[in-house]
């Protein structure tokens, strides 16, 4: 079965198993920070909030990651193989 992300690997070329395969993805993350370097979000009332809860940080992370991927590397956790070249995205 081919992977659903890029369709590149169905099993590890080195050990032949598919159980340990995963991708390392690098995505562009655009942050809004204050002049002090603290990340912030705007509330529904357009107030800048710098004391972020875990829920705020998770929502912020989800919204800034987007669908774009800068580079991807396929790695096998079982034998340590990696694709070494970046996969065209």
């Amino acid at each position: 079965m081919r992977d659903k992300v890029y369709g590149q690997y169905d099993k590890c070329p080195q050990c032949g198993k598919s159980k340990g395969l995963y991708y390392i993805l690098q995505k562009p993350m655009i942050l809004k920070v204050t002049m002090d370097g603290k990340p912030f979000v705007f509330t529904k009332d357009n107030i800048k909030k710098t004391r972020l809860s875990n829920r705020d940080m998770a929502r912020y992370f989800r919204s800034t990651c987007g669908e774009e991927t800068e580079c991807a590397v396929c790695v096998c956790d079982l034998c340590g193989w990696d694709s070494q070249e970046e996969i065209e995205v």
Side-chain angles (χ1 to χ4, degrees), residues 7-51:
Q8 296 281 326
Y9 300 100
D10 57 342
K11 58 185 174 183
C12 174
Q14 187 169 336
C15 69
K17 298 180 182 176
S18 61
K19 187 174 184 176
L21 285 180
Y22 63 91
Y23 281 106
I24 298 174
L25 302 175
Q26 181 177 346
K27 294 183 172 250
M29 186 168 179
I30 301 166
L31 296 175
K32 297 179 203 169
V33 293
T34 63
M35 299 309 272
D36 296 334
K38 295 179 182 178
F40 69 89
V41 294
F42 285 109
T43 62
K44 292 178 183 176
D45 303 328
N46 259 353
I47 298 171
K48 191 186 299 184
K49 181 179 177 184
T50 57
R51 295 189 69 198

Side-chain angles (χ1 to χ4, degrees), residues 51-86:
R51 295 189 69 198
L52 303 177
S53 66
N54 284 344
R55 180 175 285 174
D56 291 331
M57 286 189 279
R59 189 177 298 129
Y60 192 55
F61 174 77
R62 284 282 198 187
S63 67
T64 58
C65 274
E67 294 294 320
E68 300 116 20
T69 302
E70 290 180 356
C71 68
V73 177
C74 188
V75 177
C76 180
D77 197 28
L78 300 176
C79 68
W81 172 85
D82 66 344
S83 60
Q84 294 178 354
E85 75 276 353
E86 296 175 0

